[in-house]
Each structure stands twice: as C-alpha cells, then as structure tokens.
Amino acid sequence: MPDAILAIEGLCKSFGALEVLKGIDCSVAPSEVVCIIGRSGSGKSTFLRCINFLEEPDEGVISVAGITLPAGAHTYEHRRQLIELRKRVGMVFQSFNLFPHKTVLENLIEAPLIVKKQTRAEAMALADALLQKVGLSEKRDVYPSKLSGGQSQRVAIARALAMQPKLMLFDEPTSALDPELTGEVLNVMRDLARDGMTMLVVTHELGFAREVADRVVFMDGGSIVEEGPPEQCLVNPKEARTRLFLERYLHNGQR
C-alpha cells in the first residue's frame, strides 16, 4: 500500500519469555477504518501501543504519515523522529486518562499549546469546535470528576483530535462503560469515520465493526490470523480460529 498512512513490517514484542507479537505486517490506507478483534491476551492492545512506541517494539519498522522508525534505535535523531510520529497519532484508551485537576477545556488545549506551539486563542477555538463536535460544549469549564464515563471518553476523543492527527488509535474505548453509555461514544466514532478520519480500533463491539469498518483484522496468539471486509471476517470467516472465536463470543452473549 504505497500511500498508506500506517505501514508496519515485522513487528515483534516480548515481555520476558512471553512472545506477545510475532512478526506483524499491517498497513492502513488514508480514511480507512480497521477494526481489530480477538480474545483477551491475543496481543491487540500491545500492537496498538507499539505503533506510537508507548511499548518499545523489539523488532520491526513502523511508518506513520511519512515518518519511519525502526525498533531498537535510541539516537537523538530517533527521539526527534519519535516526537514527530506522535504528533501524527491520536490515541484513546479504555480508562479516559484525563487530567483530573484540569477542566475539560484545559485538557483539550494542553498539548496544542505545549507541543504544537499554538496561541491560546487558536487552541481554544479548536477546542470549542471539537467539544461541539462531540456534543459537550456545555461541559467546557467543568472538571472530569463531574462527567459520566461516556462524557469522559468523548472528551478524551476530542483531546486526541486537538492535535489534528493523521491516524486515530482506539484501544477498546467502550470497555469501561456501562452499556447505556456505550452508544454515545460509538456515535462520535461513526461521525469521525464519515468525516474520513483514518482509524485503527481494537474493539469487542462486533456490531460497530460490521457497520463502520472497511476491514476487520482477527488476531490470535500474537499474529494476524485473518483480515478482510466485515462480511467476510464476521459473517463468513475462512479460518477455523476466527469461526471458533465468533461462536464463543456469540454463545457468551456479548454485544
């Protein structure tokens, strides 16, 4: 995929003797939405965290929007390039990770002010636009402790978008939410997909994956077992391991 926003070659990661990622190759095209599914412990979250080097890969090469970083380098140039790569990647975690001592607005303008050197007026104008986008304009001056889980996650999405990333990573963004709050977060993600944001989403929300994803990737045992359009991977999978996962998932009554 020559014009890919994300390109990964030979990504490996171990924690001690435990080999978590076993030579992952993956690419994501501009405006593509890729959903990653698989059972707990299959390496999905570690894979996502290696993309922006929150986890240091052991082997492999990662390219994001023209910035290419090999694993293992620790030079000044590598560090400079890593900063540039992280400017291009927004990440939303399971647990929101908002700054509790800052208001919603302050959470959004922090990185644009410090990292992108925007003026306060520029950062605030963008923050207000993003809060309107996620339906939380009225919460701009409150603290995270006054937000519901769904509201907190929508603020976390807006905060990631404030860096105007080329790629958004979502690590099970609804797994910490009550079912009735899940929909409001998924609606924001649907809107982002419609707007053309490039997204890589680790999720257990198979209905969302079937509706929104351009491609579904099934991981098991630290490897990509199967990938393809949702109607293939989720409805008529080719691989026995994918079929077994889906059968167990549906049998357990998960959404």
Side-chain angles (χ1 to χ4, degrees):
M1 198 178 292
D3 57 348
I5 290 289
L6 173 68
I8 297 170
E9 297 178 10
L11 180 61
C12 297
K13 177 64 181 178
S14 296
F15 295 103
L18 179 63
E19 192 178 10
V20 179
L21 298 177
K22 304 173 181 177
I24 299 283
D25 296 323
C26 182
S27 59
V28 180
S31 299
E32 188 178 21
V33 178
V34 177
C35 285
I36 304 174
I37 64 171
R39 63 183 179 84
S40 297
S42 59
K44 307 184 302 296
S45 292
T46 299
F47 172 50
L48 228 58
R49 291 171 67 85
C50 282
I51 291 172
N52 60 1
F53 287 74
L54 289 177
E55 296 288 356
E56 184 75 30
D58 297 326
E59 298 178 30
V61 178
I62 297 171
S63 299
V64 178
I67 301 294
T68 299
L69 283 178
H74 293 284
T75 62
Y76 170 80
E77 178 62 17
H78 181 271
R79 177 63 187 167
R80 192 184 68 80
Q81 291 284 84
L82 177 56
I83 292 169
E84 291 302 313
L85 182 145
R86 285 177 172 163
K87 288 180 183 178
R88 290 159 169 76
V89 180
M91 187 160 186
V92 177
F93 302 87
Q94 298 177 34
S95 55
F96 323 140
N97 290 359
L98 299 177
F99 300 123
H101 60 293
K102 293 182 180 292
T103 66
V104 165
L105 180 67
E106 289 167 343
N107 265 276
L108 263 66
I109 66 175
E110 176 98 348
L113 288 175
I114 294 173
V115 180
K116 298 195 80 172
K117 309 300 184 188
Q118 289 184 355
T119 67
R120 190 170 183 85
E122 289 171 337
M124 288 180 66
L126 177 58
D128 282 333
L130 290 170
L131 288 174
Q132 184 174 7
K133 186 180 185 68
V134 301
L136 290 172
S137 295
E138 77 283 2
K139 301 293 186 181
R140 74 193 295 272
D141 296 317
V142 307
Y143 288 88
S145 62
K146 302 297 184 183
L147 301 175
S148 70
Q151 290 169 340
S152 294
Q153 194 60 294
R154 284 187 281 157
V155 171
I157 293 171
R159 184 177 65 174
L161 291 171
M163 286 296 289
Q164 299 173 296
K166 302 291 188 182
L167 170 69
M168 283 285 285
L169 307 177
F170 293 86
D171 187 8
E172 298 191 21
T174 60
S175 65
L177 300 178
D178 294 332
E180 62 268 22
L181 299 177
T182 294
E184 61 190 56
V185 173
L186 294 180
N187 283 338
V188 170
M189 295 171 65
R190 287 187 185 95
D191 288 343
L192 289 179
R194 279 194 288 267
D195 291 345
M197 174 58 71
T198 309
M199 298 160 60
L200 192 58
V201 184
V202 171
T203 186
H204 290 294
E205 302 286 347
L206 297 191
F208 173 82
R210 187 170 179 179
E211 175 192 351
V212 177
D214 298 297
R215 183 158 43 105
V216 173
V217 171
F218 171 64
M219 286 184 65
D220 189 45
S223 299
I224 292 176
V225 174
E226 182 167 359
E227 60 180 306
E231 58 269 24
Q232 174 202 314
C233 280
L234 299 178
V235 181
N236 189 29
K238 297 177 180 177
E239 300 295 328
R241 276 193 281 174
T242 315
R243 288 195 298 272
L244 181 61
F245 166 76
L246 292 171
E247 287 167 6
R248 287 177 175 170
Y249 188 92
L250 295 173
H251 177 72
N252 290 336
Q254 300 184 54
R255 59 189 187 274

